[in-house]
Amino acid sequence: MAHAETSKGSIQRGNTLPNGDIYVGSFDGLVPHGPGKYMWTDGALYDGEWDKSKMTGRGLIQWPSGASYEGDFRGGFIDGTGTFKGVDGSVYKGSWRMNKKHGIGTMVYSNSDIYEGLWNEGLPDGLGTYTWADGNIYTGRWKSGKMSGRGVMQWINGDTLDCNWLNGLAHGKGYCKYASGACYIGTWDRGLKDGHGVFYEPGSKLPCNLEVSDCLTSHDGTSASSSSNEKITIGLLFLLQKLCKNWRLRSFLHRPRRISNGTTPIFYDNSGNHLRQDVSSKSADDQCLQDDEVDKDLVYGREYVQGVLVNEQPRNKDSRMSDIAQENMWEKQARGPMETIYKGHRSYYLMLNLQLGIRYTVGKITPVPLREVRSNDFGPRARIKMYFPCEGSQYTPPHYSVDFFWKDYCPMVFRNLREMFHIDAADYMMSICGGDSLKELSSPGKSGSIFYLSQDERFVIKTLRKTELKILLKMLPKYYNHVKAYDNTLITKFFGVHRITLKGGRKVRFVVMGNMFCTELRIHRKYDLKGSTQGRSTKKQNINENTTLKDLDLSYVFHVDKPWRDALFRQIALDCMFLESQSIIDYSMLLGIHFRAPNHLRSITSYHALESSGISPQTDYSVALHHEEKISSKGFLLVAANEPGPTVRGSHIRGSMVRAAEGGYEEVDLVLPGTGRFRVQLGVNMPARARKVHEDVNVEVVENVDTIEEYDVVLYLGIIDILQEYNVSKRVEHAVKSLKFDPLSISAVDPNLYSRRFVSFLEKVFPERD
């Protein structure tokens, strides 16, 4: 507060102060104390209570601009509860802290928009309701003034969107229910539909769990249309009441979900004829269909890329799942491929033990001066062992987990590896051991390993078999030298190896790795490519948007810039040479693909501007579902890396950038219009052109005659699963399978043959440009 304090010089009641200000009121000695008025030279006036020369208690302050505040003061600051009237006619009534809106409060903006809910440091933050002047309502979570977290958007026409939000945009899994009775369940990415989803025509039977959203979007069971003009007063108590009254709601909201909107897609029948176009409106989606346009009880499987519909398949009654199966499918889709570990979860105490151990180890090794590793840093004596009793000890803190023994392998080696990839020790501990829980993933392979993901998704933690641990420690000296010598290696980045021993003798071994899919971009397809063919396809019934597909499922080839391709295969050759020297087989190239919207569909798609609804300029809120930026005819742009502008770097990368022929053989950044600017390095944020060479073996696709042949894509790739030696058991497996299958088609082959076959297969996946 600019005028919070007065001078402490000798002053008389009603006198003008030496600085020109005027005070009239009570004193305690020589300082204002008690009721009094203070006028600053600029015309601002305070009338209220004082305590030892500071505004404290109830008071009214008026500024020359016409703004005013009446309420509580403390220590010279607006602090407590009070009402602020802005010069533009806006009114805030609620809690304050240190001159900023903080706590529960209601803001009526000059354009008649209303926000009611929690505030933090002057911005909506937490649970709250925003009501636009036109009647649209958002109820849910906010962060730093934007819709972020779980929330429900209700439009005045009766459409309702229930999903997760991120920075004001629908982002994640969720569903949209339309006033017509139609419903879409799917995934959104930054406000656009992205990925697979299911569209239910009006009258179709919906998964049971969707019905519980009604208690968030209407009062006392009334319909959305009849309550759309009512003011929804929610705040913290409203939501808690609803959560307590309905267990189904609490169960439903426990699952993260997202939804997006966007373009007006075009649909085709099996012959490629134009079937229908969704109706544009200010609704939750541009896909609200009229009842007289559709048959009852029709369900469509859809796939979107950045808001553009690229595939639609009707689901007839014979192919539809039962009601129970439908509900289970929705639950699984809403939950996604990972589950946050909570108290009572089977991995809860294991997670606590892991976090305690890593915090102890990193805290112990970090103060040691950084130095080059020595041979004894790899040996059997290079271990940190500690016992963690629940009550704590001289060296360990008390904790709420079970007693356990901790062993950390080669701590100095992995400390240096983390330093190589510029991973700060504090960031590393906060990512894995911070206040947030880890997330458990389902295993994508046959190893039976359990995978955990840090909350910020920078690190993957995988359980190891004893044999895998031995192989890793055996190859660690050569691995360290290889990673140190080749900055752009594609091999898995290891950052720590640990073991937990529980009472009873059960031992669990972990390795901490970098997550190669730690990116803001949505990964639409994942492939695990080995170069073999036997057993390298995925059953159709097992495929969903989270499935990691295999060699025979791949239906694309990828054209990348020639310098990038040359650099890519130089590094693949070096990495394979290293793995061959260690007699490693069964490794694979994990390939992640982010598709950009197809050009020919984008050209016929209507892009709708943001309906701002006259939102106050102070808030920067947006009805995110209707927002799409116009993008160029190409899915991405390349700009010189030295051009100014914020750039998103990938995690766990180092070394020089690869020069692009398309960019004049300069180091370049990748610009994705409407998304951001990304640093391009080998295997990270690599732009390419994907060309479809044949249909997916296990996926039925219905497309029109103008079949989509090419996409702009962004690629993420790395070599994983490098802990399998070509040992006796693998030799036996090769001999047995060779009796039944082509010896060259099976995975278990000699390391030299495996390496050559692996590179040869990838050369077909990434062919040279014509």
Side-chain angles (χ1 to χ4, degrees):
M1 186 67 60
H3 307 292
E5 298 188 33
T6 66
S7 302
K8 292 188 177 181
S10 177
I11 55 179
Q12 301 298 319
R13 183 185 303 273
N15 284 356
T16 300
L17 307 182
N19 61 3
D21 296 347
I22 299 175
Y23 174 77
V24 178
S26 300
F27 285 83
D28 182 6
L30 299 178
V31 297
H33 185 81
K37 293 183 180 181
Y38 192 102
M39 178 177 289
W40 286 268
T41 54
D42 63 2
L45 174 66
Y46 171 75
D47 184 0
E49 299 176 354
W50 294 79
D51 182 43
K52 303 297 184 182
S53 79
K54 294 185 177 180
M55 297 180 293
T56 299
R58 297 291 294 182
L60 168 66
I61 188 168
Q62 296 173 310
W63 287 272
S65 64
S68 66
Y69 169 79
E70 183 175 9
D72 294 333
F73 291 81
R74 185 177 292 112
F77 295 94
I78 295 177
D79 197 299
T81 59
T83 301
F84 176 85
K85 297 180 180 180
V87 65
D88 61 353
S90 60
V91 178
Y92 171 80
K93 186 175 183 179
S95 299
W96 296 78
R97 188 175 73 178
M98 302 288 286
N99 292 342
K100 293 184 178 180
K101 305 176 187 73
H102 192 92
I104 297 179
T106 300
M107 181 78 171
V108 180
Y109 295 93
S110 58
N111 62 359
S112 299
D113 288 357
I114 300 173
Y115 172 79
E116 182 177 5
L118 296 175
W119 297 74
N120 183 33
E121 295 297 317
L123 295 172
D125 197 300
L127 293 171
T129 296
Y130 194 99
T131 304
W132 281 265
D134 62 6
N136 296 332
I137 299 173
Y138 170 80
T139 299
R141 292 194 171 273
W142 298 75
K143 185 174 182 180
S144 301
K146 295 184 178 180
M147 298 177 288
S148 290
R150 189 178 303 115
V152 177
M153 178 71 81
Q154 179 183 348
W155 280 264
I156 193 170
N157 69 347
D159 292 353
T160 302
L161 172 64
D162 188 332
C163 68
N164 260 22
W165 301 74
L166 180 66
N167 295 326
L169 299 174
H171 189 80
K173 294 183 186 297
Y175 68 91
C176 190
K177 296 175 72 174
Y178 309 102
S180 67
C183 179
Y184 178 78
I185 303 172
T187 305
W188 278 253
D189 185 79
R190 294 180 182 83
L192 299 176
K193 289 190 183 71
D194 209 26
H196 294 275
V198 180
F199 181 77
Y200 295 83
E201 299 282 14
S204 299
K205 186 171 184 180
L206 304 178
C208 297
N209 280 358
L210 302 187
E211 301 300 330
V212 301
S213 65
D214 292 340
C215 62
L216 270 182
T217 57
S218 61
H219 287 291
D220 303 323
T222 56
S223 66
S225 58
S226 65
S227 64
S228 59
N229 291 323
E230 298 180 16
K231 176 184 175 184
I232 299 183
T233 305
I234 180 164
L236 184 59
L237 293 178
F238 174 81
L239 276 184
L240 288 176
Q241 285 178 342
K242 292 298 182 181
L243 290 172
C244 294
K245 287 181 180 179
N246 197 323
W247 281 99
R248 293 178 67 201
L249 173 63
R250 188 180 72 170
S251 172
F252 179 69
L253 292 183
H254 182 68
R255 312 182 191 97
R257 53 181 49 79
R258 339 172 185 178
I259 282 204
S260 101
N261 218 346
T263 61
T264 305
I266 306 298
F267 304 129
Y268 300 91
D269 60 19
N270 292 341
S271 62
N273 298 319
H274 179 233
L275 185 60
R276 64 180 178 272
Q277 183 168 349
D278 295 345
V279 180
S280 298
S281 70
K282 291 185 179 181
S283 64
D285 197 357
D286 295 322
Q287 298 176 201
C288 188
L289 304 177
Q290 303 299 320
D291 287 339
D292 56 356
E293 294 180 300
V294 296
D295 296 329
K296 294 293 183 181
D297 206 25
L298 291 180
V299 179
Y300 296 88
R302 291 180 174 178
E303 182 177 5
Y304 289 86
V305 175
Q306 278 88 59
V308 175
L309 182 68
V310 296
N311 180 28
E312 181 184 52
Q313 297 183 54
R315 297 187 176 185
N316 57 46
K317 292 183 179 180
D318 293 336
S319 65
R320 258 180 245 163
M321 296 178 290
S322 65
D323 294 341
I324 296 177
Q326 278 191 358
E327 184 170 343
N328 291 339
M329 179 196 71
W330 163 240
E331 289 180 358
K332 184 175 180 180
Q333 186 181 25
R335 185 167 59 246
M338 63 187 72
E339 179 181 20
T340 299
I341 299 174
Y342 52 88
K343 189 171 183 179
H345 190 280
R346 63 181 178 276
S347 298
Y348 179 70
Y349 290 115
L350 201 60
M351 176 193 73
L352 292 183
N353 295 347
L354 179 68
Q355 291 176 328
L356 283 165
I358 289 179
R359 191 181 296 116
Y360 172 83
T361 296
V362 176
K364 187 177 181 66
I365 197 70
T366 299
V368 178
L370 188 64
R371 59 170 175 80
E372 186 50 78
V373 296
R374 306 162 185 156
S375 58
N376 58 358
D377 290 324
F378 297 97
R381 297 177 63 86
R383 309 285 190 267
I384 293 179
K385 302 178 183 179
M386 185 54 61
Y387 175 58
F388 284 78
C390 292
E391 64 275 10
S393 68
Q394 181 181 354
Y395 305 102
T396 63
H399 57 85
Y400 296 101
S401 184
V402 296
D403 298 349
F404 68 98
F405 290 89
W406 172 262
K407 179 184 279 190
D408 186 69
Y409 297 89
C410 307
M412 183 57 74
V413 175
F414 289 107
R415 184 258 183 98
N416 281 24
L417 284 170
R418 293 192 294 269
E419 290 285 344
M420 284 185 195
F421 291 95
H422 312 294
I423 298 174
D424 180 74
D427 291 342
Y428 183 70
M429 284 196 292
M430 285 302 298
S431 177
I432 299 175
C433 314
D436 294 326
S437 296
L438 302 177
K439 293 179 276 191
E440 182 175 302
L441 291 81
S442 57
S443 173
K446 300 178 181 179
S447 64
S449 297
I450 301 174
F451 290 79
Y452 303 99
L453 194 64
S454 61
Q455 278 291 338
D456 60 7
E457 301 190 358
R458 291 180 63 194
F459 302 101
V460 175
I461 302 168
K462 175 187 176 184
T463 60
L464 295 176
R465 300 191 304 269
K466 185 176 182 179
T467 54
E468 291 177 319
L469 175 62
K470 288 183 175 179
I471 293 170
L472 176 55
L473 295 177
K474 176 183 173 182
M475 69 185 292
L476 188 57
K478 296 291 181 62
Y479 171 87
Y480 179 88
N481 292 333
H482 181 81
V483 171
K484 183 180 178 182
Y486 302 105
D487 290 353
N488 291 317
T489 180
L490 300 173
I491 290 178
T492 303
K493 281 73 175 179
F494 296 124
F495 298 128
V497 177
H498 318 285
R499 189 186 76 184
I500 292 172
T501 304
L502 304 173
K503 281 191 173 181
R506 181 192 170 201
K507 297 178 180 179
V508 186
R509 303 161 186 88
F510 299 92
V511 60
V512 182
M513 307 176 290
N515 177 18
M516 56 175 289
F517 291 156
C518 181
T519 172
E520 294 183 10
L521 302 182
R522 175 174 169 77
I523 303 298
H524 296 101
R525 294 282 194 281
K526 292 178 287 186
Y527 291 92
D528 183 271
L529 307 175
K530 291 187 176 183
S532 57
T533 56
Q534 180 56 42
R536 299 299 296 166
S537 63
T538 309
K539 293 181 179 179
K540 178 181 177 181
Q541 59 267 31
N542 295 333
I543 293 178
N544 59 52
E545 62 178 316
N546 302 314
T547 303
T548 300
L549 303 171
K550 300 178 182 178
D551 303 61
L552 296 180
D553 303 317
L554 184 62
S555 60
Y556 301 95
V557 295
F558 304 95
H559 295 286
V560 299
D561 199 73
K562 187 177 187 306
W564 291 343
R565 184 184 186 278
D566 294 342
L568 177 65
F569 279 96
R570 275 197 304 270
Q571 190 59 57
I572 291 174
L574 291 167
D575 289 341
C576 287
M577 190 183 306
F578 162 72
L579 295 173
E580 183 182 339
S581 71
Q582 302 300 303
S583 298
I584 301 297
I585 62 168
D586 267 355
Y587 52 87
S588 55
M589 179 67 76
L590 184 60
L591 173 65
I593 309 170
H594 170 77
F595 287 92
R596 303 304 292 172
N599 291 338
H600 77 280
L601 282 186
R602 187 188 294 118
S603 63
I604 60 175
T605 300
S606 135
Y607 286 84
H608 298 281
L610 171 66
E611 295 289 341
S612 62
S613 301
I615 297 171
S616 168
Q618 299 153 312
T619 61
D620 190 31
Y621 306 139
S622 61
V623 186
L625 208 56
H626 299 290
H627 174 60
E628 293 182 19
E629 294 186 22
K630 294 192 176 184
I631 56 180
S632 64
S633 59
K634 192 173 179 61
F636 53 77
L637 304 172
L638 298 178
V639 299
N642 55 11
E643 289 187 9
T647 302
V648 179
R649 293 180 59 89
S651 296
H652 326 307
I653 61 174
R654 61 194 179 101
S656 60
M657 299 169 61
V658 183
R659 299 178 183 272
E662 187 175 338
Y665 292 95
E666 296 290 333
E667 294 179 345
V668 296
D669 288 340
L670 174 68
V671 176
L672 302 179
T675 304
R677 175 173 170 175
F678 300 84
R679 181 61 48 87
V680 180
Q681 292 199 241
L682 204 63
V684 181
N685 300 325
M686 288 186 62
R689 189 74 173 163
R691 181 166 60 87
K692 201 164 194 176
V693 292
H694 60 81
E695 297 295 353
D696 290 3
V697 174
N698 295 290
V699 179
E700 296 177 5
V701 178
V702 180
E703 293 176 349
N704 66 325
V705 292
D706 298 323
T707 303
I708 303 170
E709 293 291 344
E710 294 189 347
Y711 297 87
D712 290 322
V713 297
V714 183
L715 303 179
Y716 298 83
L717 59 157
I719 298 175
I720 63 170
D721 296 338
I722 63 170
L723 299 179
Q724 177 60 61
E725 283 185 325
Y726 189 57
N727 51 25
V728 174
S729 64
K730 286 295 178 179
R731 294 174 189 273
V732 171
E733 178 184 340
H734 174 79
V736 172
K737 288 187 176 181
S738 294
L739 298 176
K740 187 176 181 180
F741 307 108
D742 180 359
L744 298 179
S745 69
I746 60 180
S747 180
V749 295
D750 173 83
N752 178 265
L753 174 58
Y754 193 100
S755 173
R756 288 188 286 111
R757 184 181 64 187
F758 181 74
V759 174
S760 177
F761 176 75
L762 291 179
E763 286 176 341
K764 297 175 183 176
V765 175
F766 298 94
E768 294 188 83
R769 291 180 183 270
D770 297 332

